[in-house]
Amino acid sequence: MTQTNLREHATGNGKPASDKAIAPSGGGSRGEARADWQPIGYYYNLRGHGVFEQLLEAPGVSAYTGVFATVAEVYPPSDKPFMGGAVMTVHNVVPLDGERVEIRVDAGWPDDIPVRVHLLYWA
């Protein structure tokens, strides 16, 4: 058994990754503090199974807003999230102009089940 160098570059094209960091493409405050941003959170009760996409209304969102999403199965009688038998993952969260967010979720179950998606962002 041979040892490997865990610090070897691992890239898909076979070339080592550059040691130069990539600068942000946009956003940031350029050193200025913003005290006027407010955290905003909404939840959405959906039904789905497998991989599905959904367009959500999200007041205050633009294409440049950073949006976080969570997903959980919901127990209908109590309307509370719970750890059910379906594996749940959020694959994509795409903020759009017009106060909308498009998400792609995987509800690992063969039939439609109730799921809750939470969005959190600052606007």
Side-chain angles (χ1 to χ4, degrees):
M1 176 179 248
T2 61
Q3 286 188 322
T4 61
N5 180 355
L6 296 178
R7 294 183 179 261
E8 287 182 77
H9 297 287
T11 60
N13 61 10
K15 298 178 185 175
S18 171
D19 289 332
K20 183 179 178 186
I22 296 173
S25 299
S29 63
R30 303 193 196 292
E32 300 170 11
R34 294 248 349 233
D36 58 333
W37 284 24
Q38 297 294 319
I40 298 173
Y42 289 100
Y43 69 88
Y44 306 82
N45 291 323
L46 310 172
R47 290 189 65 81
H49 72 280
V51 177
F52 64 94
E53 296 175 2
Q54 186 67 53
L55 188 62
L56 306 172
E57 293 181 6
V61 165
S62 76
Y64 299 101
T65 305
V67 179
F68 301 90
T70 65
V71 64
E73 192 169 347
V74 175
Y75 185 61
S78 67
D79 196 38
K80 293 182 180 179
F82 77 108
M83 184 72 69
V87 175
M88 304 275 189
T89 55
V90 175
H91 287 279
N92 301 88
V93 180
V94 183
L96 303 167
D97 286 331
E99 300 186 324
R100 300 171 302 146
V101 173
E102 185 174 14
I103 60 166
R104 181 177 293 139
V105 172
D106 188 353
W109 204 252
D111 303 309
D112 279 359
I113 54 175
V115 300
R116 178 167 297 151
V117 171
H118 274 98
L119 296 183
L120 178 62
Y121 54 94
W122 285 261

